[in-house]
Amino acid sequence: MSISRADIEKVAVLARIKVDSEQVSALEKDLGNILDLVDQLSAADTDSVEPMAHPLDAVQKLRPDVVSETSQREAFQAIAPATEDGLYLVPRVIE
């Protein structure tokens, strides 16, 4: 697969990137090489390869789901500027 000069210029406009004509030629070659590599990778037979989430089969060690701190709700609400029925009251932002 190849990429044209017009494609590069269009992407540059969409990305709001200034690209000189010299850079377009270099990008055309470099992006063409990248797309050729992607085509080669796409051609590889992966039917017998099992999908995996991590290449090293690493597992996350999980801690038990237990409460580790006591509730300090009353202490925090006591120092709040305004509360009502256990909720924090804040000034209206949108009219």
Side-chain angles (χ1 to χ4, degrees):
M1 180 177 195
S2 63
I3 189 165
S4 69
R5 185 177 199 87
D7 291 335
I8 293 173
E9 291 170 351
K10 181 178 179 182
V11 170
V13 168
L14 292 173
R16 301 206 183 345
I17 299 173
K18 182 180 179 185
V19 180
D20 298 334
S21 59
E22 297 170 359
Q23 292 174 317
V24 171
S25 299
L27 283 171
E28 188 175 2
K29 179 184 173 195
D30 292 342
L31 291 174
N33 290 339
I34 292 170
L35 292 174
D36 289 340
L37 179 61
V38 170
D39 283 341
Q40 287 177 9
L41 291 172
S42 296
D45 181 23
T46 59
D47 292 336
S48 61
V49 178
E50 184 178 336
M52 59 182 147
H54 193 278
L56 302 177
D57 289 330
V59 238
Q60 180 71 32
K61 293 182 181 178
L62 301 176
R63 61 175 172 76
D65 189 16
V66 295
V67 177
S68 60
E69 295 183 14
T70 59
S71 175
Q72 299 180 14
R73 180 179 181 170
E74 283 76 22
F76 291 138
Q77 288 200 344
I79 59 173
T83 61
E84 182 179 305
D85 297 328
L87 303 173
Y88 295 96
L89 301 178
V90 295
R92 182 178 295 220
V93 178
I94 300 175
E95 298 290 329

